[in-house]
């Protein structure tokens, strides 16, 4: 009982407990934000993959109905949403210096890259047997790429404000507890 009567020791114990709680709150909020931002990016990438496959299937149906090249390009422009931009690029219009496009064409598989809070999802359009009657290209060659750009900044801003709120809350709680000693 004498131990707790010593104010210096009690103050040190309270300070240590408050510091431990604050550190735990801070670390858990940072860890949560990292986990949430990673999950968010993975979710957005999965959404973009579904979206690009949906766009491709719509374009294929339009082609099968006999639409002209210009009609297909005009229709593809309407697929963009307010949070993402969809671009169809034929092989003649591709920037082959762009690493994501280059990789998608070389591997003939979809890929993505994240650059400055923007996801670039590249979906190569591969010629199949039923495509050769109109396109006159070799089977398994790349006809073009559908690219989706998705800006993550509004999501990342929300996450950043969550970090700041967590830090400020931890600082306020620590200050209140320390001044109450």
């Amino acid at each position: 009982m004498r131990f707790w009567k010593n104010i210096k020791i009690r103050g040190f114990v309270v300070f240590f407990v408050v510091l431990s709680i604050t550190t735990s709150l801070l670390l858990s909020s940072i860890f949560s934000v990292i986990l949430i931002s990673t999950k968010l990016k993975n979710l957005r990438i999965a959404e973009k993959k579904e979206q690009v496959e949906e766009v491709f299937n719509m374009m294929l149906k339009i082609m099968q109905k006999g639409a002209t090249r210009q009609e297909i390009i005009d229709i593809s422009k309407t697929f963009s949403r307010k949070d993402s931009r969809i671009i169809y690029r034929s092989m003649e219009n591709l920037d082959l210096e762009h690493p994501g496009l280059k990789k998608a064409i070389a591997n003939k598989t979809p890929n993505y890259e994240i650059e400055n809070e923007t996801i670039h999802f590249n979906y190569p359009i591969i010629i199949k047997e039923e495509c050769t009657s109109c396109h006159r290209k070799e089977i398994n060659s790349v006809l073009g790429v559908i690219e989706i750009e998705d800006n993550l900044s509004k999501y990342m801003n929300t996450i950043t404000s969550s970090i700041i709120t967590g830090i400020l809350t931890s600082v306020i709680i620590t200050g209140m507890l320390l001044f109450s000693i």
Side-chain angles (χ1 to χ4, degrees), residues 8-25:
K8 286 184 181 180
I9 292 175
R10 195 173 88 196
F12 176 74
V13 170
V14 170
F15 175 76
F16 181 73
V17 168
V18 169
L19 187 63
S20 298
I21 291 170
T22 303
T23 303
S24 297
L25 285 171

Side-chain angles (χ1 to χ4, degrees), residues 98-111:
H98 190 276
L101 292 175
K102 203 175 198 179
K103 186 177 175 185
I105 292 167
N107 297 336
K108 297 181 181 176
T109 56
N111 69 27

Side-chain angles (χ1 to χ4, degrees), residues 22-40:
T22 303
T23 303
S24 297
L25 285 171
L26 208 55
L27 289 176
S28 66
S29 68
I30 290 171
F31 180 72
S32 297
V33 167
I34 290 170
L35 193 64
I36 289 168
S37 64
T38 302
K39 184 71 175 171
L40 173 74

Side-chain angles (χ1 to χ4, degrees), residues 41-131:
K41 286 178 184 176
N42 291 339
L43 180 64
R44 295 299 290 176
I45 289 165
E47 286 175 4
K48 295 304 123 188
K49 184 175 186 215
E50 284 180 24
Q51 187 181 4
V52 78
E53 288 172 354
E54 184 180 305
V55 167
F56 173 75
N57 288 328
M58 282 190 244
M59 289 175 66
L60 182 61
K61 286 178 184 173
I62 293 165
M63 282 185 250
Q64 290 170 339
K65 289 183 177 180
T68 66
R69 177 183 171 95
Q70 190 57 50
E71 288 172 329
I72 293 166
I73 291 171
D74 291 343
I75 290 170
S76 70
K77 290 176 184 175
T78 65
F79 294 134
S80 292
R81 299 178 183 165
K82 70 178 178 182
D83 65 338
S84 61
R85 187 169 69 120
I86 299 175
I87 308 158
Y88 167 72
R89 299 180 194 276
S90 64
M91 287 302 288
E92 297 84 37
N93 299 329
L94 283 176
D95 175 11
L96 294 177
E97 297 304 314
H98 190 276
L101 292 175
K102 203 175 198 179
K103 186 177 175 185
I105 292 167
N107 297 336
K108 297 181 181 176
T109 56
N111 69 27
Y112 72 91
E113 55 190 9
I114 299 174
E115 177 183 317
N116 297 330
E117 294 185 355
T118 301
I119 296 174
H120 298 275
F121 192 87
N122 304 298
Y123 186 89
I125 300 172
I126 310 298
I127 296 286
K128 297 182 175 142
E129 176 112 24
E130 62 267 19
C131 307

